Amino acid sequence: MPSTIKILPGGRYFPSEGNSTLLEAGLRSGLALGYGCSNGNCGECVAKIVSGEVRKVRHHDYVISEEKKNSNHVLMCCHSAVTDIVLEAPEAQSSKEIPHQQITARVRSIEVLNDDVALLHLKTPRNKRLRFLAGQCVQLGGDGLPAASHAIASCPCDDMNLHFQIPRCTGDAFNEHVFNELKRGDRIRVEGPSGNFVLNEKTDRSLVFIAWHTGFAPVRSLVEHAMALEIPGSMKLVWMTRSKKDRYQDNLCRSWRDAFDNFEYLPLDTNIDDEAINPETLLELLDIKPADINNHDFYVAGNKKLINAFGKKPEWMFLTIPPLLDDEGN
C-alpha cells in the first residue's frame, strides 16, 4: 500500500511505494523538488521529516551534520517512506528558482521519425542529472561542436533521459550534425535550462495546447507534466502540420486521447500562411465560446508566423521555435 507524502510549505501531496526514494516519488508526481546529483553526494536534497517514518535505501557520501540529524533531516534521494509522512522540503515555485547547469550527456539513440524530424535521446550521468521545468529549453553542443538551443521534449519526472525533436534544416550546423554525424555513445554538452514557457501548476482552469510542427516538442513536455500532476481541468491539444505525415508522434497523441477521458486531440492539416489560422477559428474548432475563454489557460508553440497570427495575447503563454527550411519569411 503506498504511503502519502505531504510537502511543506507548499501543502501538496504525492504517493510513494516500494523502495522508491522520496525524491523519485516526488519527481514522478510532477513536483519541482530541490536536488542536485540525485546520488547522495551533494546534499542539496536535504529535507526535514516533520512526522512519520522513513528508511535508508541507498548509501550516501554526503555527511549530514549531527545538528541536522537530531532534527530529523535526511537526504530525499536516499530515503524511502515507511509510513505516511510530512516532509519540509525545498520546491521551486518558478523558472527563476531552477539553477543554471552544465552537464555532459551521452547520446543513447537517434531515431529518424520521418523525413524531416529526428528524435535525439540523451542520457545524463547518474550522479549529475538535469533539473528543469516542463517546457524549458537548453543549449546543446559547444566545445568544438555546433551548438543550438532546443526545447526539451520529455517530462522532468525522468531527469536522466532527455528527448529532443530536431528538425532537418539544411544550413543549420547543429541539425546537420545530428542527422549526418552524431552517433550513439557520443558526448554532448547540455547547458541551461532557460525559458518561461512553463505550466501554471496552481491552475484550476482547463488547458489548451497549440503547436505548429516541432512546436510539439515543448508541448509534449507540458502535457506529460500536467498528467503527472493530475491537474483537474480538461486538456485540449491542437497539432498543426502541413499534412498527417508531418505529425511524427501522432500515435502518442491518440493514445493520450484514448487513455484519458478529459483529453481532446485535434490534428489539423494546414498551411502556416493560411489567413484562417487565428484564435477565433481554433476556438470554434475546439468548441470554446468567447465567454468561456477565461476558463482556459493557453500555451502556443510555433514559428513567428503562428505567434504573430495569435496577436501575442498577454495572458497566453507563447514559445517561438526555430523556423523550418521552408518557413519563408521567418
Side-chain angles (χ1 to χ4, degrees):
M1 183 175 179
S3 300
T4 299
I5 316 300
K6 181 180 180 180
I7 291 287
L8 298 178
R12 293 199 287 183
Y13 293 83
F14 64 89
S16 178
E17 54 187 329
N19 285 326
S20 292
T21 67
L22 301 173
L23 180 60
E24 290 168 342
L27 294 178
R28 193 162 51 240
S29 295
L31 277 71
L33 296 172
Y35 69 100
C37 67
S38 307
N39 205 39
N41 293 317
C42 70
E44 291 187 26
C45 68
V46 170
K48 180 179 180 179
I49 306 299
V50 178
S51 65
E53 183 182 350
V54 299
R55 69 174 179 273
K56 187 176 179 180
V57 293
R58 183 183 296 166
H59 170 76
H60 59 82
D61 293 327
Y62 180 81
V63 179
I64 300 177
S65 68
E66 287 300 319
E67 180 183 357
K68 288 205 166 184
K69 281 183 182 178
N70 293 334
S71 58
N72 293 326
H73 283 78
V74 300
L75 291 180
M76 291 190 292
C77 68
C78 297
H79 288 77
S80 177
V82 175
T83 64
D84 293 347
I85 67 171
V86 176
L87 184 69
E88 191 176 288
E91 185 181 0
Q93 301 299 317
S94 72
S95 58
K96 295 179 181 179
E97 297 180 30
I98 302 295
H100 185 85
Q101 303 147 77
Q102 183 176 303
I103 64 175
T104 299
R106 285 188 180 272
V107 176
R108 183 161 187 177
S109 66
I110 302 172
E111 179 187 357
V112 179
L113 300 175
N114 63 16
D115 292 339
D116 299 317
V117 179
L119 174 62
L120 174 61
H121 179 179
L122 301 183
K123 185 92 168 181
T124 66
R126 186 173 295 276
N127 64 349
K128 199 171 184 182
R129 307 181 188 186
L130 182 74
R131 187 180 172 203
F132 66 97
L133 298 181
Q136 288 194 297
C137 301
V138 294
Q139 178 171 287
L140 301 175
D143 276 344
L145 296 176
S149 177
H150 282 278
I152 304 170
S154 48
C155 181
C157 54
D158 186 358
D159 53 0
M160 282 188 67
N161 294 283
L162 308 178
H163 291 183
F164 300 89
Q165 298 168 9
I166 311 297
R168 187 189 297 274
C169 187
T170 303
D172 184 299
F174 178 81
N175 292 20
E176 289 187 345
H177 182 69
V178 170
F179 276 90
N180 302 321
E181 300 177 47
L182 202 63
K183 60 185 184 299
R184 178 182 172 89
D186 283 354
R187 296 175 181 269
I188 187 166
R189 189 172 71 185
V190 180
E191 188 171 351
S194 62
N196 298 311
F197 188 71
V198 298
L199 203 65
N200 174 11
E201 298 181 4
K202 298 179 180 179
T203 187
D204 57 0
R205 297 182 289 269
S206 296
L207 306 179
V208 179
F209 302 99
I210 300 169
W212 163 253
H213 206 265
T214 49
F216 177 69
V219 163
R220 173 178 177 172
S221 182
L222 290 174
V223 169
E224 291 184 340
H225 184 51
M227 290 175 175
L229 286 171
E230 298 183 352
I231 285 180
S234 65
M235 287 188 277
K236 300 175 186 286
L237 167 62
V238 181
W239 191 2
M240 297 186 291
T241 58
R242 294 183 180 86
S243 66
K244 180 179 179 179
K245 68 180 181 62
D246 292 328
R247 288 188 290 276
Y248 44 85
Q249 291 190 324
D250 186 67
N251 287 341
L252 172 65
C253 299
R254 294 182 185 278
S255 72
W256 289 339
R257 181 195 61 193
D258 294 340
F260 298 94
D261 292 336
N262 66 343
F263 187 89
E264 182 179 342
Y265 172 46
L266 177 63
L268 190 60
D269 296 342
T270 186
N271 188 317
I272 198 65
D273 294 313
D274 191 342
E275 293 182 358
I277 300 303
N278 57 65
E280 290 72 25
T281 301
L282 288 180
L283 292 176
E284 186 176 342
L285 289 171
L286 289 167
D287 195 27
I288 299 176
K289 296 178 174 57
D292 294 330
I293 289 178
N294 291 336
N295 295 325
H296 298 77
D297 287 343
F298 293 85
Y299 299 83
V300 184
N303 59 14
K304 290 181 181 178
K305 286 183 179 178
L306 178 68
I307 303 304
N308 290 337
F310 277 74
K312 296 184 178 179
K313 295 178 179 294
E315 68 275 20
W316 292 21
M317 295 292 293
F318 292 95
L319 178 66
T320 303
I321 62 168
L324 303 176
L325 180 63
D326 54 354
D327 284 342
E328 298 295 338
N330 287 274

